[in-house]
Amino acid sequence: MVRTEFEKKYKSARRAAIGLDLMHLNDSQREAVMTTQGPLLLLAGAGSGKTTVLVNRIANLLRYGCGSDSEYVPFDASEDDLAFLEAYARGEIRNSEFGIRNSPADEDYRIRKLCAVEPVPPWRIIAITFTNKAAGEMKKRLEKIIGPRSEDIWASTFHSACARILRRDIERLGYSRSFTIYDTSDTASLMKRILKDLDIEERTLPHKTVLGYISRAKDAMTSADSFLASAEKTGDLRKRFIGRAYREYETRLKSSNALDFDDLILLTVRLFNENPDILQYYQNKFMHVLVDEYQDTNNLQYLLAASLAGGFNNICVVGDDDQSIYKFRGATIENILSFEKKFNQARMIRLEQNYRSTGYILSAANDVIRNNRGRKGKTLWTANESGEKPQMHITANERTEAQFVTDTIIESVAEGRSWSEHVVLYRMNAQSNQLETAFKRSGIPYRIFGGTGFYERAEIKDMLAYLCVIHNPNDDVRLLRIINNPPRGIGNTTIGRIVAIAAGAGMSIYEIINKSQDYNELQASAGRLHLFADMIDELRALSTTVPLNELYDALISRTGYIRMLEEKGTDENIARVENVRELKTNIISFINENGGSLFDFLSETALFTDLDRDSQGFDRVLMMTMHSAKGLEFDTVFIVGAEEGIFPGIRAIGAPEEIEEERRLCYVAMTRAMRKLYFISVQYRMLFGKTASAQPSRFINEINSENINIKKPQYKYQDFDFNTTAKPQPLPKLNNSEPPSSPNSEFRIPNSEFPPSPNSEFRIPNSEFPPSQIPNSEFNKGDTVEHKAFGRGVITGISSAGGDSLLEIAFDSKGTKRMLLNSALRYMKKAER
């Protein structure tokens, strides 16, 4: 056989033999694993098995090196070797004519010998991820495949890898190897001290704002001196202050031999740029560089990865431009979009087969994301069944939205699904409010993922503490929480003296405050203490003359609580302001439902803030923001608040790049669903105590009618306060198999006088569910009941709860649950003993 023909056949047989190890992968995944040389972009769609590809790619490099795509053929390769490879690739039974025994160990040894070309030692591979969790998962899976050798692979986060590099050579930059790393709380404390020393008030220039500017400057490799010089030239006074703080921040970090998180990457890049010998060492060390979640990288992370890969030019990045949703953290989608321009002769392989979702869900997600212009383009597909079409439900308001989610989850659990197979996704944390209320009333176990429950948030506890003190000023615990919150010059020393005097006199703290002028140790603070007591007395008097919602407005104004948060100006405090205002929604809803007093409201709220008896359980409905859901998957997904101004957010409307980021977020949210996907939009939403008409999200209109079922408005309209000047607007036409046929369509709110009275019998046509206010049935302690989701149980306690009754029920298999009677009646009935 001519040598050229022999080499061609040998390379083909070798590739086929290596491919047998990868038969558990699909064609695109296998190609990604076997493409071992040069820059490679793996455009990995949601649920396409990217971690599986990364792990198998590393295992292939260790076992066969570049054997799958190398042009090299050993000079001593024989016709017998070729015959063996071809027979092995065909899966034929091995026999003695190939010179081996029927032993898997011997066969494996010969295959490796014939197929491996420069197998890569594990310490010459670096695989970079974004989180410790992802790095840990990769190490675990590598150990399972390749055993103890996996410990020598550099599988770590960007920051961990950089810290390891700097520990070896940071002395070149004037630091000691014993440097410490400041976390976010450390840097916040340092910046607060700096601003104080520079006489810059927090309310004028919040420390988080300054740290945000510094982080962006470091990502652009702009030094403190350069930043300040630029600010001086432009005359921007605010940036001058930031520049001064930046310079002082860097000085103090250096004097403390400390680095922040940005420094870890910045100084590593600097180390490489200023020390060619160190750069060459790492470029020679790492034959292969792999980067996960490449769409989330910033400028420094790109520079780091490019530097490490500069020796062998073997860089493989895995990412999805359609899932780039962290622009607010500094991520730039341009890194993945321009990969082929930045790395010569780069290849791109699309991983488009999804293993997670049903066909209809993927088709709907594809419909949405194809409207983005800033993308490389791909179309997810699946071999899974088509499944059920995603559903769009239009409900009357945020309370019926929450009730729909509650009803649907309970029906699903009654059919055998677990609570944890359901997730509710929302755009902003404040949206969890009504959902939590509905879940609490119905006894649904839930958990806020990556966050805190609405009633457990510090700002909500603060406002409830004020209301408790207004109702009962002798409530010492609540009073101590608010006496200097916001700060009003009543320090810990004074508070300690008050507590001691009250304990000795057997009086409440409030009584001591009112008599503070009579105590020598309190006379210096008496004026401030009386101002606080006067404020509480004024609000107490007001509570007897105005509705609860007006009292709450006065409370916010009189205490200055929101002003305090707004002056700090950070994103975190803006969210806290939203939560404080959102509590008014609960108050208005409570008034409409119960017409109750401050005492009744606090009584019901206390029940919601009480921890569930099964708080240690893990089977719970999850609630989270869409950003938090990235990387997760669930059987059933609810996307609530699918309305213009909520999702997409009001700030994104009119800004094409921001809309594209919101659309990518929608794509991420949709592709979390494995089996069922629900969108919920309301006709009127009360948020932060104000009601406005709502229009369905544009993203719903982007889904082709054959890929979504749009349901007609459901639920009875009741107990909803139209305390707004907004006029009803017809809902926009939706892509739907049942389009509105006339101005009187059931997709349009009837033209009537607005606002209707809270007691009006305003009904949405074709209501599938009973009214939310159900007359109390005759339930007694000791009654046996049957519940759709929890099964059979016995009522062990009944107590008053505002305008409702709180049931405590011991279920045979689900433990003891607490739920409100009116909500429980939707799913429960009496049963025979």
Side-chain angles (χ1 to χ4, degrees), residues 684-700:
Y684 280 84
R685 182 176 294 277
M686 183 189 297
L687 195 61
F688 314 134
K690 296 182 179 179
T691 303
S693 60
Q695 296 181 338
S697 170
R698 67 188 66 195
F699 303 143
I700 307 301

Side-chain angles (χ1 to χ4, degrees), residues 47-121:
S48 61
K50 66 181 180 65
T51 304
T52 297
V53 171
L54 279 176
V55 169
N56 279 275
R57 180 180 174 83
I58 292 172
N60 181 62
L61 290 172
L62 296 180
R63 183 180 176 98
Y64 297 118
C66 59
S68 55
D69 56 354
S70 174
E71 294 297 317
Y72 171 77
V73 175
F75 289 110
D76 58 352
S78 66
E79 295 284 351
D80 182 64
D81 292 332
L82 174 60
F84 174 79
L85 283 176
E86 289 178 335
Y88 181 87
R90 290 193 299 268
E92 296 177 356
I93 298 175
R94 284 48 165 182
N95 54 53
S96 58
E97 72 178 271
F98 296 118
I100 66 168
R101 299 184 303 275
N102 291 322
S103 165
D106 290 338
E107 181 179 299
D108 184 69
Y109 172 78
R110 188 174 183 187
I111 283 296
R112 289 197 186 202
K113 181 179 178 181
L114 295 178
C115 292
V117 178
E118 299 180 351
V120 184

Side-chain angles (χ1 to χ4, degrees), residues 219-236:
D219 185 47
M221 300 190 73
T222 303
S223 68
D225 289 338
S226 296
F227 186 97
L228 182 56
S230 176
E232 295 285 359
K233 286 181 181 179
T234 60
D236 188 324

Side-chain angles (χ1 to χ4, degrees), residues 194-213:
I194 290 172
L195 293 177
K196 183 177 181 180
D197 293 344
L198 294 176
D199 291 326
I200 300 173
E201 294 186 8
E202 176 78 14
R203 64 181 182 180
T204 303
L205 190 58
H207 72 278
K208 285 193 175 182
T209 300
V210 179
L211 289 171
Y213 271 95

Side-chain angles (χ1 to χ4, degrees), residues 426 429-437 440 446-461 464 579 586 608-609 611 620 623:
Y426 37 77
N429 281 309
Q431 288 175 259
S432 73
N433 178 14
Q434 292 299 316
L435 291 157
E436 289 186 70
T437 300
K440 287 279 189 180
Y446 72 90
R447 180 166 69 93
I448 303 291
F449 181 88
T452 307
F454 184 77
Y455 286 104
E456 305 306 317
R457 293 166 186 159
E459 59 273 18
I460 298 302
K461 287 186 174 183
L464 291 174
N579 290 333
N586 294 34
F608 291 162
T609 56
L611 293 177
R620 301 165 168 225
M623 301 169 64

Side-chain angles (χ1 to χ4, degrees), residues 347-452:
R347 291 188 58 185
M348 179 175 67
I349 297 174
R350 290 178 170 85
L351 304 180
E352 299 176 301
Q353 183 174 358
N354 176 283
Y355 291 90
R356 175 187 301 152
S357 307
T358 58
Y360 274 125
I361 291 173
L362 292 183
S363 295
N366 287 330
D367 288 342
V368 172
I369 199 61
R370 69 167 54 99
N371 289 278
N372 270 7
R373 294 185 178 182
R375 65 189 297 259
K376 287 181 170 293
K378 64 180 177 306
T379 301
L380 290 185
W381 63 276
T382 184
N384 297 339
E385 61 183 11
S386 296
E388 295 184 27
K389 293 182 181 181
Q391 296 181 20
M392 167 64 172
H393 289 260
I394 303 173
T395 72
N397 55 56
E398 72 284 346
R399 296 187 64 228
T400 53
E401 174 185 59
Q403 192 62 60
F404 168 76
V405 174
T406 300
D407 289 342
T408 306
I409 290 175
I410 285 181
E411 289 287 350
S412 178
V413 171
E415 293 170 0
R417 299 281 170 182
S418 65
W419 299 108
S420 58
E421 290 181 271
H422 306 83
V423 67
V424 185
L425 303 181
Y426 37 77
R427 185 64 180 87
M428 63 178 77
N429 281 309
Q431 288 175 259
S432 73
N433 178 14
Q434 292 299 316
L435 291 157
E436 289 186 70
T437 300
F439 288 175
K440 287 279 189 180
R441 286 173 169 170
S442 300
I444 291 181
Y446 72 90
R447 180 166 69 93
I448 303 291
F449 181 88
T452 307

